[in-house]
Amino acid sequence: MATGVGNRNGTHKLPNLRNSASFKSKLPPANARRSVGAVGGADSVSGRVRVAVRLRPRNTEELVADADFADCVDLQPELKRLKLRKNNWDSDTFEFDEVLTEYASQKRVYEVVAKPVVESVLEGYNGTVMAYGQTGTGKTYTLGRLGDEDTSARGIMVRAMEDILANISPETDSISVSFLQLYMEYIQDLLNPANDNISIVEDQKTGDVSLPGATVWEIRDQQSFMQLLRLGEAHRIAANTKLNTESSRSHALLMVHVKKSVVDRDEFSLDAQNRSIGNLRPPMLRKGKLIVVDLAGSERIHKSGSEGHMLEEAKSINLSLSALGKCINALAENSPHVPVRDSKLTRLLKDSFGESGYDLYLVDLTWYSLVCCRDIQNLISYHNRSFSTSSSRDFKYHNVWAKGFNYNMCAHSDLYQAMKVENMLKIKEEFDYKSLAKRLEMEIDKLMAENERQQKVYENEIERIRLEAQKRVAEAERNYVEALEEEKTKCQMDYMESIKKLEEKWTINQQKHTINAEINNGAGNEEVVELKRLLQDEVCLRKAAEDETHNLKSGSSDGLQQVLEEESYQKKKLEEEVRVLRSQLAQISIEANQVRGYPDGSNSGNPLPGQDSLGPLNHMRSRDGSNGERASITNLHEQVGLQKILSLLESEDANVRIHAVKVVANLAAEEGNQEKIVEAGGLTSLLMLLRTYGDETIRRIAAGAIANLAMNEANQELIMAQGGICLLAMTATDAEDPQTLRMVAGAIANLCGNDKLQMRLRSEGGIKALLGMVRCRHPDVLSQVARGIANFAKCESRASSQGSRHGRSLLIDDGALPWIVQNANSEASLIRRHVELALCHLAQHEINAKDMISGGALWELVRISRDCSREDIRALARRTLTSSSTFQSELRRLRIEV
Ligand SMILES: Nc1ncnc2c1ncn2[C@@H]1O[C@H](COP(=O)(O)OP(=O)(O)OP(=O)(O)O)[C@@H](O)[C@H]1O
């Protein structure tokens, strides 16, 4: 047993620590502490229990006894020794891992006692810090002080959590905390006091101890931990008040579980050289556990005379502390059996002891720091008593120490013994598959993104190459075509050149051949003579022309000057005439418009409604006051001459053209002028004006003039001969102005009345043009169309009755019948009259009867025969109906009587 060694002055040493420089230096260095061979491949290190002693400052009462104290206790922190004077010549000296005087700050206590343990916990070890001592010796101050008012007073728990939080990564690591108290072998949850009988569960495989019934708080920050401590402390006070006991009668345990990922392990790297998934190991997760135990006060354990509840309480505390001491002792002795099951305290700390019935070294061992807080008063009283009792107990060196803490010999000696516990510590590590999966997923995502990016680059490259190839092929093709074309041109040129050369050669040969032939045959002499003569003539003529040119050039230009002057005079005269003529034309035009009722002389050309007749277009003739106009026109006609007026129809000045065509139209309205106009070429000019698409006024007036000329049978033939029907049909198709259409329809209607022109008129589209104009619903236009149809039907009827015509009516062939039937009862009397006549004429020829019946014309004929206002037409209809067998039979069938 390696405890301290006593001499006369009773010096007790720890052999293992003799050569140690400091408490901290005895902890295994972070990377050197591991050795392979522990369970699950976890690393193990050796360690032992460390013991420090701390004296708290004296309180008021103690200050009174201060005089004695200096004589009894001698702290030698630099030697890590505590000397207790037995008497003037004898003393006992105890050696610790740390000796902390009353001046030691909380920070220093934390750093020398707890910080190394916390560091070990962060590396995956289990670590425990326990405080042992009498009530009031400063256990809670040392461990659990919050330092709300004075941060320098923060205790080990607060500082430990600060350190842990500073050394973990919130993303990957976690901290969970339980806060418990153990009283009378019952474990109570200080975070949920109602839960006061928590059972301990031990994992048979790993030896891990857990408390499934205890509340576990995840700690994210210091505030939440402080809140937890306050809550636990409040619950502890409340629970103890309820139990009517003191706080120091229970053990308080703070259990901090730390899970920390290992990121910088060599074996787990995802560097570029080692990306193979097969080489990957899951990231390691280190699990450390820190237990901070505020042990129950030891002062009453020994007390004789304790009874009832107090006795039970004392026994319980005695039991747990004794069990704790035994376990530590067993570990110090390397005993194969560590009696952890003797109390709940030792069972709770089991995974910190490493108890195993079979193999001590395969289970976890833990770092301990014991802070022994000493009550100076008791120490002194012990000291005083020791002189008198001179007590010597089982444990040679520790009985004095134990007495100093009021007699728990076993516990005290074993706690002291704890300083030599040395064992194997095992890092608790496990594979963090979750994190690995996450990392792998990220890696896969990254690889996929990279792959996609490369794919895109590849596709773009392919597309670029394709386009490039396409461009090159197109260029090659173009070059080829150009080269081909060039070659072809060159070949053609060569060919042409050779042909030319051949032709020249051939011509030369031919000439030679001819000359030879002539010479040889003596023929053609006469031709040569003739050619020579012609050449001579030509030469003479050219000479004469040259002479004349020379004469003209050489100043014999008097005659020429005269001619030029004469021409200039004539030109001026003509211009004057034109000017007079223009003004006269304008004047006449205005007068004519006024006479016709055009207020502003504009070209509106509105006809007087209802003035249609079977004859020519009356509006072209002036009626009222026509004498004056006619006189003006006659005057003009006589003064200027018709030829000049007609020439003005082709003037470049649009106004002149309009005036001119008006004058011509007015002249054409007089029968006496018509022949002259036609003779002077006026009809041709007027027909040409129908082509003046841009000027509707000119077309309208020209069409009116043509219509007037078309009243004359001779002119009708001329109009047809000059292609007039085509021009009229064309105008009928493209004109929109109703008055233009009216003039055109009037002109065609007049032509329709010519028996000789029937066939040609129809073949050149006259009937269709006429029918096409019904699209304009203007009654004047419809009236002219109806007149034309009536005229045509009349001619056909005449020809049929004369036997010169056979077959069905051309009007029916050209589809005129529906319109005829539709307008047979028109409200416009003129239209109605023309259509009624047309129906009567069509009905006279038996061959039309069937079509007329099927087209509904029979009903109209019957109506005409009964209701027509004109007696002659009524009679004609009746006659027609009665004379046609077809109509008769149909009428009979329909039981209609005419
Ligand atoms: N190092 C110290 N410096 C200043 N005051 C101290 C120190 N240690 C203890 N005290 C004071 O001594 C008194 C008792 O301390 P504390 O309550 O921590 O003792 P305890 O051992 O936990 O007692 P109990 O077992 O009854 O809980 C408190 O007033 C505390 O403030």
Side-chain angles (χ1 to χ4, degrees), residues 501-754:
K501 280 180 184 166
L502 279 172
E503 273 179 356
E504 281 171 7
K505 219 171 168 184
W506 183 81
T507 310
I508 292 164
N509 286 341
Q510 195 67 22
Q511 281 173 353
K512 279 183 188 168
H513 180 72
T514 309
I515 291 164
N516 289 339
E518 280 174 358
I519 292 167
N520 292 337
N521 297 333
N525 284 342
E526 281 178 15
E527 277 182 33
V528 172
V529 171
E530 180 61 19
L531 280 170
K532 277 183 181 173
R533 193 185 57 79
L534 284 173
L535 192 65
Q536 195 65 41
D537 287 351
E538 275 296 313
V539 169
C540 288
L541 280 170
R542 202 185 72 194
K543 197 161 181 306
E546 280 174 0
D547 288 348
E548 199 175 334
T549 309
H550 180 71
N551 287 340
L552 283 170
K553 278 183 182 170
S554 65
S556 61
S557 58
D558 293 349
L560 186 64
Q561 191 67 29
Q562 238 176 340
V563 169
L564 281 173
E565 279 172 8
E566 181 66 21
E567 282 294 318
S568 178
Y569 172 74
Q570 286 297 333
K571 191 183 161 209
K572 273 188 185 161
K573 208 175 148 195
L574 279 172
E575 280 174 354
E576 183 60 26
E577 269 180 32
V578 168
R579 197 181 58 73
V580 171
L581 192 60
R582 274 186 185 171
S583 67
Q584 281 175 345
L585 268 171
Q587 182 60 33
I588 289 165
S589 179
I590 292 162
E591 284 169 7
N593 285 337
Q594 282 169 349
V595 168
R596 282 204 304 273
Y598 302 161
D600 57 354
S602 70
N603 301 325
S604 59
N606 287 333
L608 297 172
Q611 283 195 345
D612 197 5
S613 78
L614 294 171
L617 299 176
N618 294 343
H619 79 276
M620 286 300 178
R621 293 175 179 175
S622 53
R623 289 180 177 180
D624 303 326
S626 60
N627 287 342
E629 185 197 350
R630 267 204 300 274
S632 301
I633 294 169
T634 310
N635 279 345
L636 176 73
H637 183 194
E638 283 164 3
Q639 281 171 20
V640 180
L642 183 62
Q643 199 62 50
K644 280 200 176 163
I645 295 171
L646 290 176
S647 71
L648 291 175
L649 288 173
E650 289 162 23
S651 168
E652 286 183 0
D653 186 330
N655 284 328
V656 170
R657 277 203 313 273
I658 288 173
H659 290 312
V661 76
K662 279 182 183 172
V663 170
V664 174
N666 274 299
L667 287 172
E670 293 297 322
E671 263 184 58
N673 296 329
Q674 288 180 355
E675 199 180 337
K676 290 177 200 162
I677 291 170
V678 173
E679 274 176 10
L683 176 63
T684 312
S685 301
L686 288 167
L687 284 169
M688 286 304 109
L689 287 177
L690 289 179
R691 294 176 189 269
T692 321
Y693 306 113
D695 195 331
E696 196 61 38
T697 307
I698 289 178
R699 286 215 299 180
R700 184 178 65 246
I701 299 168
I706 293 165
N708 280 335
L709 291 175
M711 288 163 60
N712 183 310
E713 197 178 328
N715 290 343
Q716 287 167 358
E717 286 176 15
L718 276 172
I719 289 168
M720 293 297 285
Q722 291 184 22
I725 194 64
C726 289
L727 289 166
L728 287 167
M730 187 185 71
T731 311
T733 307
D734 64 28
E736 294 295 334
D737 176 27
Q739 292 315 316
T740 306
L741 291 171
R742 179 191 171 216
M743 302 304 170
V744 172
I748 296 177
N750 286 343
L751 295 173
C752 284
N754 190 322

Side-chain angles (χ1 to χ4, degrees), residues 207-385:
D208 286 349
V209 174
S210 61
L211 301 166
T215 306
V216 177
W217 269 27
E218 288 288 329
I219 300 296
R220 294 262 158 220
D221 50 38
Q222 191 68 15
Q223 285 77 11
S224 62
F225 179 65
M226 300 291 273
Q227 197 186 338
L228 176 145
L229 287 182
R230 280 190 202 100
L231 181 71
E233 198 51 42
H235 285 157
R236 192 180 180 198
I237 292 165
N240 289 327
T241 309
K242 201 173 157 193
L243 290 166
N244 196 20
T245 185
E246 293 168 33
S247 63
S248 59
R249 312 312 298 152
S250 66
H251 308 295
L253 292 98
L254 180 80
M255 303 178 89
V256 182
H257 295 268
V258 181
K259 283 185 186 171
K260 191 169 186 299
S261 60
V262 184
V263 292
D264 57 348
R265 292 286 292 269
D266 297 340
E267 59 268 36
F268 185 79
S269 68
L270 275 170
D271 57 11
Q273 289 82 24
N274 189 19
R275 285 183 182 277
S276 157
I277 290 169
N279 290 340
L280 287 177
R281 283 181 54 197
M284 302 307 294
L285 201 65
R286 286 189 173 165
K287 293 186 355 180
K289 181 162 75 174
L290 173 68
I291 305 178
V292 183
V293 190
D294 189 352
L295 289 166
S298 57
E299 68 278 6
R300 289 194 191 159
I301 297 168
H302 67 285
K303 273 188 181 169
S304 57
S306 292
E307 302 176 332
H309 180 71
M310 296 286 275
L311 182 63
E312 289 304 310
E313 196 181 64
K315 276 184 181 171
S316 171
I317 294 168
N318 191 34
L319 170 80
S320 56
L321 291 178
S322 167
L324 177 64
K326 280 179 186 166
C327 288
I328 292 170
N329 204 21
L331 291 169
E333 295 298 323
N334 277 349
S335 165
H337 176 66
V338 181
V340 289
R341 303 199 173 275
D342 290 358
S343 77
K344 281 204 173 157
L345 178 65
T346 47
R347 281 181 65 202
L348 269 173
L349 299 172
K350 177 184 174 271
D351 54 1
S352 301
F353 293 150
E355 181 270 343
S356 166
Y358 308 99
D359 189 350
L360 185 68
Y361 297 99
L362 289 181
V363 292
D364 297 346
L365 290 180
T366 313
W367 294 98
Y368 286 99
S369 282
L370 294 176
V371 180
C372 299
C373 300
R374 186 176 60 83
D375 184 321
I376 302 297
Q377 195 65 42
N378 283 329
L379 189 65
I380 291 166
S381 65
Y382 139 75
H383 187 252
N384 293 339
R385 278 197 303 275

Side-chain angles (χ1 to χ4, degrees), residues 54-59 101-106 109 131-145 233 236 246-250 294-299 373:
R54 182 186 194 187
L55 288 170
R56 68 157 167 73
R58 285 158 291 175
N59 56 30
T101 69
E102 63 214 271
Y103 307 110
S105 67
Q106 290 281 74
V109 172
Y132 174 75
Q134 285 183 302
T135 296
T137 50
K139 299 186 293 295
T140 308
Y141 183 92
T142 302
L143 296 181
R145 185 89 176 189
E233 198 51 42
R236 192 180 180 198
E246 293 168 33
S247 63
S248 59
R249 312 312 298 152
S250 66
D294 189 352
L295 289 166
S298 57
E299 68 278 6
C373 300

Side-chain angles (χ1 to χ4, degrees), residues 434-496:
K434 248 191 200 170
S435 166
L436 174 69
K438 203 170 155 193
R439 276 181 185 229
L440 287 176
E441 241 170 51
M442 280 166 64
E443 186 64 16
I444 287 167
D445 278 355
K446 212 168 131 191
L447 288 171
M448 279 170 75
E450 177 65 19
N451 180 267
E452 200 180 355
R453 197 179 59 73
Q454 280 180 2
Q455 183 78 18
K456 190 77 200 139
V457 169
Y458 175 72
E459 280 170 10
N460 288 347
E461 187 61 16
I462 296 270
E463 182 61 17
R464 193 188 64 71
I465 292 168
R466 196 182 65 77
L467 289 173
E468 181 73 16
Q470 217 172 33
K471 205 172 121 192
R472 284 192 190 170
V473 166
E475 203 176 309
E477 278 176 0
R478 204 170 47 246
N479 289 343
Y480 173 74
V481 169
E482 275 172 15
L484 204 68
E485 199 63 34
E486 217 171 279
E487 193 62 24
K488 199 171 138 192
T489 312
K490 196 166 163 278
C491 287
Q492 278 175 351
M493 294 296 288
D494 290 350
Y495 175 73
M496 295 293 285

